[in-house]
Amino acid sequence: MSDRSSWHALSLVEARARLASGVLTARGLADAWLARVAATDARIEAWAHLDPARVRAAADRLDATPPAQRGPLHGIGIGVKDIIATADLPTEMGSPVHAGHRPAADAACVARVKAAGGYVFGKTVTTAYAFLDPGKTRNPWHPGHTPGGSSSGSAAAVAAGHVPGALGTQTNGSVIRPAAYCGVVGFKPTRGSIALDGIHVFSETLDQAGTFTRSVADAALLAHAVAAPGAVAGEVAIVSRPPRFAYLAQFPWTRLDCHDDDRVEAAVTRLRRRAEVVPVELTGEWRGADRIHRTIMLFEAARNMAGLQDRERARLSPKLNAALDEGRAIAAAGYEAALRGRERAIGELAQWMRGFDAVLAPPAPSAAPAGLDSTGDPGCCTLWSLLGFPALTLPVDWAGGGLPIGLQLAAPAGADDRLLAVARWCEVQLSFASRW
């Protein structure tokens, strides 16, 4: 990609290599990304805050950094979801309640981006408080369709070529689902791998941070940079044998679109040509795991946001107020029972997954739904969010209307590197072609 007009399409790994070799400068890449934003964001609106002058100044500073002091993300601009604190840009939570709010310090994951030689390109649109109400962002492949949520802007910005990587969070489906809807790689590492310090807390048990990139190798590089040391390897291992997969074709609490599900089935069929794929189902009490998740999520959200709701009920959305009110009505005994259920589920479902390299599943019930009044159904992500297990979605096909279809992979806690390795294997077998 010697053509300057194509620099925005470089993957994170490619951009890093070209910066390291001196073929590109951080300022040249920044200008290419800003040009792409200027050309495309009017119809997408991925950004909550973006200051081109600040971006160029950050790139210039990094170009002046001596080579011996350059980190693994040197010169790379990263999108940051607007519930993640940034000291040099507002953090407004997607709500007018926090208009102009400027945190005193960066979130831990943002500090790690900077320590690795990267910089905050801008703040990406989030649904208000990372809940259900849509923001202004539209799907980059079809502006009449949702980009998903709550990490709407992060997924759309990476899909549109505005940045090669972005950070988001997930309490239910807020990394995996928008990544699937927008046709990028969404990766949610094992719970706790990426510190949540400086990130708005909705549910402390379920909140998890993750990444958006355009390849599995990029996901590993970015997650390695922002996660705790040793949590995620920066390079994807090569699998020594064809993987053995469990295939969870559906979740009991979610209805799939039969046409779009056929695309997922077709991708799984292609994998069967070289890998063992074993159909599995959730059984017993885990068929109701969504209720355990909802109890924990809403009880903790109501507790964490009680003061805000008391002060600002009139400025919170009806959906959010209803959810918080539902959470306030949950008895402490019911919440504690749900926590015990979650602990049993972690142990039993880790055992259920033994003998498999990963579980394959749909990342969403369909391609991105039409309309901008909803962010879509997160139900295909609920189980892995409840368990805190690592999950990743790959784009694998195109549905009718030119919208991407994803395939989700999950593994037990701590198996992040194995998950990335088999996801990369799938990526090679399925050969998804973007339509830039």
Side-chain angles (χ1 to χ4, degrees):
M1 290 186 183
S2 58
D3 181 2
R4 182 184 295 264
S5 66
S6 299
W7 288 354
H8 69 273
L10 290 169
S11 71
L12 199 159
V13 169
E14 290 169 337
R16 180 182 69 164
R18 295 189 184 207
L19 285 163
S21 69
V23 172
L24 297 180
T25 63
R27 175 60 182 270
L29 272 176
D31 285 340
W33 292 326
L34 289 169
R36 180 69 173 176
V37 172
T40 63
D41 197 49
R43 68 190 292 270
I44 300 169
E45 296 191 273
W47 298 96
H49 307 284
L50 178 57
D51 179 353
R54 192 193 63 82
V55 168
R56 293 186 178 103
D60 288 341
R61 285 195 302 272
L62 289 165
D63 280 331
T65 302
Q69 298 175 21
R70 296 180 177 184
L73 294 182
H74 168 74
I76 303 292
I78 299 296
V80 176
K81 184 178 181 178
D82 201 27
I83 64 163
I84 301 174
T86 46
D88 52 355
L89 282 172
T91 302
E92 296 183 338
M93 314 288 186
S95 170
V97 173
H98 294 277
H101 172 62
R102 185 68 68 92
D106 289 328
C109 58
V110 172
R112 289 189 66 85
V113 166
K114 293 179 177 180
Y119 64 97
V120 178
F121 189 83
K123 300 301 289 290
T124 55
V125 171
T126 177
T127 64
Y129 303 105
F131 196 57
L132 296 176
D133 297 285
K136 63 182 180 179
T137 307
R138 298 183 290 277
N139 193 291
W141 300 106
H142 196 309
H145 290 244
T146 179
S150 60
S151 306
S152 323
S154 289
V158 172
H162 297 174
V163 282
L167 303 181
T169 62
Q170 176 161 308
T171 305
N172 193 353
S174 295
V175 169
I176 300 299
R177 176 181 37 148
Y181 284 171
C182 292
V184 297
V185 174
F187 176 41
K188 181 192 74 64
T190 296
R191 176 179 178 266
S193 297
I194 301 175
L196 297 178
D197 306 59
I199 299 177
H200 163 70
V201 178
F202 196 82
S203 166
E204 60 271 23
T205 299
L206 303 174
D207 289 356
Q208 293 150 72
T211 65
F212 297 86
T213 58
R214 292 195 292 275
S215 75
V216 175
D218 287 1
L221 174 59
L222 182 53
H224 172 76
V226 299
V232 180
E235 295 185 4
V236 180
I238 298 173
V239 297
S240 58
R241 54 168 174 77
R244 185 171 190 261
F245 294 114
Y247 177 36
L248 184 60
Q250 60 182 6
F251 297 89
W253 48 82
T254 298
R255 178 174 295 181
L256 305 182
D257 177 281
C258 60
H259 296 294
D260 292 343
D261 186 49
D262 286 346
R263 307 276 184 168
V264 176
E265 291 276 358
V268 173
T269 297
R270 296 203 300 277
L271 296 178
R272 279 195 178 100
R273 296 170 187 165
R274 293 199 57 198
E276 183 181 3
V277 179
V278 180
V280 297
E281 294 183 357
L282 288 176
T283 59
E285 68 177 306
W286 311 128
R287 294 183 64 82
D290 61 319
R291 295 191 293 274
I292 298 174
H293 178 279
R294 186 173 182 85
T295 298
I296 295 170
M297 178 177 70
L298 295 187
F299 183 94
E300 292 183 351
R303 182 173 62 190
N304 292 326
M305 299 180 68
L308 174 68
Q309 188 186 34
D310 289 344
R311 295 190 307 272
E312 302 287 356
R313 177 179 285 269
R315 290 204 285 174
L316 303 184
S317 75
K319 285 182 183 177
L320 181 55
N321 275 318
L324 297 178
D325 289 343
E326 181 180 338
R328 288 184 182 220
I330 295 171
Y335 166 65
E336 291 163 3
L339 289 177
R340 292 193 296 273
R342 174 180 174 273
E343 288 301 316
R344 289 198 310 276
I346 289 171
E348 291 187 19
L349 292 177
Q351 181 69 21
W352 174 71
M353 295 166 76
R354 284 190 65 185
F356 298 106
D357 291 293
V359 177
L360 305 175
S366 68
L372 301 174
D373 57 349
S374 166
T375 57
D377 180 352
C380 291
C381 310
T382 298
L383 183 63
W384 316 124
S385 293
L386 173 67
L387 303 174
F389 289 2
L392 181 148
T393 185
L394 291 171
V396 297
D397 206 346
W398 295 94
L403 290 160
I405 294 287
L407 176 66
Q408 184 174 201
L409 296 88
D416 300 70
D417 293 345
R418 185 179 77 198
L419 177 65
L420 287 162
V422 297
R424 173 57 183 150
W425 184 90
C426 292
E427 186 178 49
V428 171
Q429 306 306 312
L430 297 174
S431 302
F432 177 77
S434 185
R435 294 181 175 175
W436 278 7

